[in-house]
Amino acid sequence: MKEAIGADKIARQFSQAAKHYQEHDKVQRLSAQRLRAKVAPVGHLLDIGCGPGTDFSAAPGLNEVLGLDIAPGMLSQMRASFPSYKALCGDAQALPLVDASIDTLYSNLALQWCSDIKTAIGELARVLKPGGQCHLAIVVDGSLSELDALGLRVNAFEQAQTLLDGFSDSHWQIEHQSVEPLRVHFDDLKTLLYSIKGVGASAAMGSDVSQGSDGNQDSDETLGSNGTEGSVSKPLPRLRGRQDWLALCERAEAQRQPEGLPLTYQILFIHASRRG
């Protein structure tokens, strides 16, 4: 049985990551490009898990952008970049909005953090107006296979079909859905691992990443991708010092591609409309 991580802990992790988030959000930017290619937002838009904010200035049909995030630090970053946006601090599983008040829903790589994603999908249906559009990108099972191959702790992501089953025919018409791999590359293993830590999570190795590489101690706590502790697919290696770290780096080098060390995410893209 997985132990759920509290919303306050998730909020704290993402708030701490907020100032440096855009140094590490490679996969978020790639996902946003694909997601927004099919989005024609109108009216009142709700960006769930908005992070430091998304530029919707190219959408002339918008009246208002509401950025919702569980982390106050992320909302502060969003307000600095997009002062016209309205900031809402809240949980996707209990949206602080009245029924049928939103025309367009948008969420890029955020809903996988919900401890009960079907509750979140129910909230999407509640706040979206009949005929309103919903555009989502969610990390799903099969992601981060490169970390698993190194024996590192891999977060437990939901299967795509489990998420799709949450969109009941009585409330939703799914216009398009697909699972697409997004691969990003890094110069070295430490940069790769900090890309995960820098967006509010970290890969756990039974000891500390940096302690073995440069003597600086950081938390090796892993936040599970769906709001639970990460699953362990094999015994965690213990990094006892520099030699263990160098051995891990050597194993990672065996995965190197011409572009760098790969890290692959499986992303479920959903474009749906709210039935009347």
Side-chain angles (χ1 to χ4, degrees):
M1 179 68 68
K2 297 172 185 174
E3 179 184 356
I5 290 179
D8 58 337
K9 182 176 288 188
I10 295 174
R12 186 169 61 252
Q13 288 286 113
F14 276 96
S15 285
Q16 290 171 351
K19 288 186 178 180
H20 303 286
Y21 184 91
Q22 290 171 308
E23 297 173 14
H24 304 283
D25 63 345
K26 285 186 175 183
V27 70
Q28 284 85 350
R29 283 183 271 121
L30 286 175
S31 177
Q33 289 173 8
R34 296 198 189 186
L35 184 62
R36 291 172 60 195
K38 296 190 177 183
V39 175
V42 297
H44 296 276
L45 179 144
L46 175 64
D47 182 357
I48 298 175
C50 62
T54 297
D55 186 359
F56 294 104
S57 60
L62 279 181
N63 298 328
E64 182 180 48
V65 175
L66 308 176
L68 180 136
D69 205 284
I70 200 170
M74 286 294 188
L75 294 174
S76 295
Q77 293 294 310
M78 183 195 73
R79 282 193 295 262
S81 299
F82 304 98
S84 65
Y85 290 5
K86 181 177 180 181
L88 298 174
C89 190
D91 190 333
Q93 298 161 110
L95 293 172
L97 295 165
V98 300
D99 297 356
S101 57
I102 297 298
D103 299 288
T104 307
L105 284 171
Y106 175 94
S107 183
N108 181 42
L109 306 191
L111 292 180
Q112 68 271 1
W113 287 97
C114 295
S115 59
D116 185 350
I117 199 163
K118 288 191 176 182
T119 295
I121 294 170
E123 280 290 273
L124 302 186
R126 181 182 66 80
V127 303
L128 191 59
K129 293 178 182 179
Q133 297 295 305
C134 178
H135 307 279
L136 310 174
I138 307 171
V139 182
V140 294
D141 184 55
S143 296
L144 310 180
S145 58
E146 295 88 355
L147 296 187
D148 185 62
L150 291 176
L152 307 186
R153 181 173 301 194
V154 177
N155 290 344
F157 297 94
E158 293 281 7
Q159 294 186 355
Q161 191 57 53
T162 300
L163 301 183
L164 291 169
D165 288 345
F167 288 81
S168 66
D169 290 339
S170 59
H171 291 131
W172 297 100
Q173 172 66 46
I174 295 183
E175 313 291 349
H176 172 79
Q177 60 87 10
S178 63
V179 175
E180 302 179 26
L182 292 185
R183 178 169 293 164
V184 289
H185 294 87
F186 301 89
D187 292 337
D188 52 50
L189 180 60
K190 186 174 180 181
T191 306
L192 182 153
L193 294 173
Y194 269 94
S195 79
I196 303 171
K197 187 179 181 68
V199 295
S202 60
M205 295 178 289
S207 187
D208 176 65
V209 177
S210 297
Q211 198 169 28
S213 56
D214 62 13
N216 294 322
Q217 187 168 359
D218 295 298
S219 171
D220 68 350
E221 177 180 42
T222 294
L223 287 177
S225 57
N226 58 357
T228 62
E229 293 289 352
S231 64
V232 181
S233 57
K234 57 187 69 175
L236 299 180
R238 304 298 300 188
L239 297 186
R240 293 178 295 271
R242 182 171 177 79
Q243 289 305 115
D244 283 359
W245 168 253
L246 292 176
L248 183 65
C249 290
E250 185 175 351
R251 294 203 304 276
E253 285 299 316
Q255 300 180 355
R256 181 175 290 277
Q257 298 177 348
E259 303 91 339
L261 296 181
L263 189 61
T264 307
Y265 292 81
Q266 300 294 330
I267 309 298
L268 171 63
F269 292 94
I270 299 175
H271 301 276
S273 57
R274 179 70 163 88
R275 295 188 187 273

